[in-house]
């Protein structure tokens, strides 16, 4: 019984942790914070594997910014989805 209660509480805690909480741990966070107003948007990590990480920043239900980080090359692109403008395109 105690193990199942602990498992349920642990699951609830992990679900409550959002992408915004872990965003600051990512290597590209500094550039993202300088490029866009991160606090104004809800980030959602779409992809995070050995090769790359894709994060969408939502305003309501609409993605406003997209970041693509290629891990091996340490290359980051930040794109405004409003006008398809490239805000950042360089290596870290």
């Amino acid at each position: 019984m105690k193990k199942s209660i602990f498992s349920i509480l642990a699951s609830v805690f992990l679900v409550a942790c959002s992408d915004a909480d872990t965003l600051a741990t990512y290597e590209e966070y500094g550039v993202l914070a300088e490029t866009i107003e991160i606090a104004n948007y809800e980030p959602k990590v779409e992809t995070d594997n050995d090769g790359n990480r894709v994060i969408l920043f939502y305003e309501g239900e609409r993605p406003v910014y997209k970041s693509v980080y290629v891990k091996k090359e340490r290359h980051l692109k930040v794109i405004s989805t409003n006008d398809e403008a490239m805000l950042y395109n360089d290596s870290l």
Side-chain angles (χ1 to χ4, degrees):
M1 180 69 177
K2 288 182 182 181
K3 287 183 181 180
S4 47
I5 291 174
F6 177 75
S7 296
I8 292 170
L9 289 175
S11 297
V12 169
F13 175 76
L14 289 174
V15 169
C17 292
S18 68
D19 290 330
D21 295 335
T22 59
L23 198 62
T25 64
Y26 295 150
E27 190 172 358
E28 66 270 31
Y29 178 78
V31 173
L32 291 173
E34 291 176 6
T35 307
I36 61 176
E37 296 284 332
I38 292 176
N40 294 341
Y41 306 102
E42 181 66 34
K44 182 172 186 230
V45 178
E46 293 291 316
T47 305
D48 191 3
N49 57 43
D50 291 340
N52 62 36
R53 179 171 28 249
V54 176
I55 306 170
L56 294 176
F57 295 87
Y58 285 85
E59 183 174 62
E61 294 191 20
R62 186 177 61 88
V64 180
Y65 298 103
K66 176 180 182 179
S67 73
V68 179
Y69 179 60
V70 180
K71 295 177 181 180
K72 187 174 182 178
E73 288 103 27
R74 298 188 67 221
H75 191 90
L76 176 66
K77 292 181 182 179
V78 180
I79 305 160
S80 170
T81 60
N82 290 333
D83 55 9
E84 299 292 324
M86 187 80 63
L87 303 175
Y88 186 90
N89 185 14
D90 204 353
S91 296
L92 301 183

